[in-house]
Amino acid sequence: AADVLQSTHSILTRIGDERIVITELESFSILLAAIIHDVKPPGRNNDFQVNNKTEYALRYNNRSVLENMHVSSAFSRVLGAHT
C-alpha cells in the first residue's frame, strides 16, 4: 500500500499544476482509498472468489468481492473489531 500511496500522492501534487481543482476532502478520500485498496489480500482475484463460491463471494453477493472485503476490513480495524 505504501507504493500506491506514494504514487497517488505524487499524482495529486502534480494535479495542482493543472486546471483541475480538488478539495482537501477529495484529496483525503483519494489518499485513504490508496491506503486501504488492498487491506488483507486473500491472494485470489474476484473471479476466483465468485467461481469457487468462497465465503467472501457469498458475504458480498458476488459484487466487487475483494473491494468490499478490503473496505470492510479496514473499517473494522479502525473501529476496533479486528476481523
Side-chain angles (χ1 to χ4, degrees), residues 23-37:
T23 67
E24 287 183 7
L25 179 59
E26 289 169 330
S27 291
F28 173 77
S29 300
I30 292 167
L31 293 173
L32 180 61
I35 292 169
I36 66 172
H37 85 281

Side-chain angles (χ1 to χ4, degrees), residues 42-52 54 65-66:
R44 305 283 187 190
N45 65 19
N46 280 331
D47 286 338
F48 177 90
Q49 303 295 329
V50 172
N51 292 335
N52 288 281
T54 66
V65 176
L66 296 179

Side-chain angles (χ1 to χ4, degrees), residues 36 38-41 56 59-60 66-83:
I36 66 172
D38 204 14
V39 171
K40 195 178 169 188
Y56 293 135
R59 180 179 299 157
Y60 300 113
L66 296 179
E67 292 77 4
N68 282 308
M69 186 273 298
H70 297 313
V71 168
S72 176
S73 296
F75 285 158
S76 291
R77 281 185 115 19
V78 168
L79 297 174
H82 302 286
T83 58

